[in-house]
Amino acid sequence: MKILVINCGSSSLKYQLIDSDTEKALAVGLCERIGIDGKLNHKPEGGEKITLELPMKDHKDAIKAVLAALMNESYGVIKELSEIGAIGHRVVHGGEKFTKSVLINSEVIAAIEECNDLAPLHNPANLIGINACTETMPGVPQVAVFDTAFHQTMPMKAYLYGIPYTYYEKYKVRRYGFHGTSHSFVSKRAAEFAGLDLKNSKIIVCHLGNGASISAVVNGESVDTSMGLTPLEGLIMGTRSGDIDPSIIEYLSKKEGKCLEEVMGVLNKKSGVLGLSGVSSDFRDLQSAAKEGNEHAIEAVEVFVYRVVKYIGGYVAAMNGVDAIVFTAGLGENDKTIRNMVCSYFGYLGVKIDQERNAVSGKEQIITTDDSKTKVMVIPTNEELAIARETIAIVK
Ligand code: ADP
């Protein structure tokens, strides 16, 4: 069956058409500037990438453009719409309602809407994508796959904040965690790849991309993760601050004469390694600036690494041990220097990095020596394939 995987943002729409038998992406693409003017990047498997300037006044126009590209005579990959058997949507926040992926119906849509307050930038966009598909492809089953669902197994001691309990009861203020599809996919694959029994394993997954989070996975279930109520908590990221003393918000607001929204804007968009370095949110730029001796870039990388190390150490304690530490996402898969810096702290876990193995980029690999007490690995994430697998499992 062919599954259309959709990841809808407020002005963008990423898609992949995946053949569930071969698990290959037949086409991948991205609609940008929806509601402004409109641009579509589309790449069929094994073919050239094409870029089209297409007016897209809303997400429905974007979906129509995607379907037209998928069926185009020269760069399309299917002949008719009926070849698309199901649609899988990435939905960012499922609150406490969704502990796993679900077939979308009107009740599910209403329940996702109820989570809008928890992810005001993401959930409404995800719903627009769902509604646009319902209108353009009526009758095709749609599945919602939530970023938060995998972490719903976290115990109370990991998800409650130390604030009045009434805020949890009234407003569901608690830690949820994100990147769940990736943490789930990568932890499963890591166990398989390393020959560990998932049901009897302790794995730490470091999803280090522009957005970054770490999770502690015991026997295949998430028991803790670094992101919280929103994706702002935890690690220092490309542009996000991660954990800070909450008093900084009031202090900066007074000192800079900024309102709450403005300070939150700084913490989300102007902080992280970008804010620390003043160079870039992209680690490739940071590494080249660091090589040229830029002090702030060097510091930003050190601060980033140190936070990663503290989370890993915390999770080793929480799990009372670890079998494997896994790196994934843009930075985790590609940056051997960052992996080396992180692992240099874990001599006490008996981690021994094999530098030849660690030279790997974007490929599954155990990067420790055969006699290393704890395994460290690189496992590329594939959130789209994970969404397609969830979708097929539900519609079958
Ligand atoms: P997101 O999906 O959150 O936007 P990604 O998973 O694509 O982020 O990761 C982006 C980060 O990965 C950037 O900081 C980028 O510099 C880093 N990255 C991507 N490719 C490489 C590479 N070949 N070497 C080093 N870093 C890389």
Side-chain angles (χ1 to χ4, degrees), residues 348-360:
Y348 76 94
L349 292 176
V351 166
K352 285 195 214 161
I353 298 295
D354 177 323
Q355 290 307 334
E356 239 171 73
R357 291 177 181 175
N358 188 37
V360 71

Side-chain angles (χ1 to χ4, degrees), residues 276-330:
L276 278 168
S277 67
V279 172
S280 171
S281 62
D282 191 301
F283 271 79
R284 283 165 289 198
D285 301 336
L286 284 180
Q287 303 285 30
S288 21
K291 269 194 199 121
E292 285 161 18
N294 182 311
E295 290 286 332
H296 291 312
I298 296 170
E299 279 166 11
V301 173
E302 275 177 18
V303 178
F304 171 86
V305 165
Y306 187 63
R307 181 74 56 88
V308 171
V309 166
K310 288 210 291 184
Y311 266 96
I312 295 176
Y315 291 163
V316 172
M319 300 194 297
N320 187 24
V322 61
D323 298 314
I325 299 170
V326 190
F327 288 94
T328 193

